[in-house]
Amino acid sequence: MVKILVTGADGFIGSHLCESLVKKGFCVRALSQYNSFNFWGHLEKSEFLKDIKLISGDLRDSFFCAKLVKDIDVVFHLGALIAIPYSYIAPQSYVDTNIQGTLNMLEAAKNEGVSKFIHTSTSEVYGSAIYTPIDEKHPLQPQSPYSASKISADMMALSYYNSFDLPVIVARPFNAYGPRQSARAIIPSIITQILSGQKEIKLGDLSPKRDLNFVLDTCEGFISLLNLNNFGEVFNIASGIEYSMQEVLDKILKLTNKEVKIITDKQRLRPKNSEVTRLLGDSSKLKAKTSWSSKISIDEGLALTISYIEKNLSEYKSGIYNV
């Protein structure tokens, strides 16, 4: 049985990925960030928790990472700080986790001789689209400390392929959404405010366009990379369809049958040169190598997300802006 390690396993995408891997019969070791509460994030309530070997620790510690990777065949490295607004406030923490943490994992994987290291990038590294659809050759533009840290982590991962023949593949997902996503993201922020009964909801800029991919489709994109040996290469995971945030808001209002007044909240606006105005991804490279495609429509995905948040609304603090 293939032994797979997932870092960032307690997070939004990571928890779904762990469950998808278990369903497919893989042996999964999951890293949850250490805390003194023994809280395992989104894996806490997972029906598959008994089938997952869960370990608490911190990517920033190289000694811990060396132990974490022992006897592992494949690494899915998702562990990272991802909130863009918080990266304006605490950029050092993004360097420590996203760059140093990735370096620690790469070195550990090299020393243990893992057969595949799938490193998670982000469409944010492309910045505002210079051309669309965005393929893997699109220039990288660091428009936030977060995206700069991810560009650095991507380059570090690829350097380990070029320098040490570490079998690295870079997965570059576009905007995943769905159940369990934090309210720091716009879709759950909209839904939680509406379902909480607020007649006026606070949002940022609704003009940016995003390539939205339902989280389970994103996970299938990750898993499809297990069948590839295209080491040293980057693969986009994108739906190939873009929606403005205004269009997404309109869809959510229709699905919830609500009417609200929109208030532009200045603290939710990115600095002018930091806002990524358009992301539309090209996944033709991945599709040419695998059978993957994005299957869940935006309307179906939003309905599933609304249903999840409605059942778990008490876990959200809709009155507080989640940086």
Side-chain angles (χ1 to χ4, degrees), residues 286-306:
L286 180 63
K287 291 177 179 178
K289 297 288 185 180
T290 71
S291 60
W292 180 83
S293 65
S294 185
K295 295 182 171 61
I296 299 174
S297 71
I298 183 71
D299 293 303
E300 182 184 357
L302 287 175
L304 290 168
T305 306
I306 291 167

Side-chain angles (χ1 to χ4, degrees), residues 154-215:
D154 293 357
M155 295 304 106
M156 188 63 72
L158 292 172
S159 80
Y160 262 65
Y161 166 72
N162 291 320
S163 299
F164 309 113
D165 291 322
L166 183 67
V168 168
I169 295 176
V170 176
R172 190 164 283 158
F174 278 63
N175 297 83
Y177 73 97
R180 304 177 189 167
Q181 188 172 26
S182 161
R184 61 157 193 83
I186 188 168
I187 289 177
S189 178
I190 292 170
I191 296 170
T192 53
Q193 290 183 75
I194 290 173
L195 294 183
S196 296
Q198 297 178 33
K199 301 302 181 183
E200 296 183 343
I201 67 173
K202 297 179 180 179
L203 298 172
D205 188 354
L206 295 177
S207 65
K209 295 182 177 181
R210 294 290 185 267
D211 184 315
L212 297 168
N213 214 16
F214 190 68
V215 64

Side-chain angles (χ1 to χ4, degrees), residues 21-34:
L21 289 167
V22 168
K23 289 178 185 177
K24 294 179 185 295
F26 293 102
C27 178
V28 177
R29 184 182 301 174
L31 172 62
S32 172
Q33 185 175 25
Y34 171 79

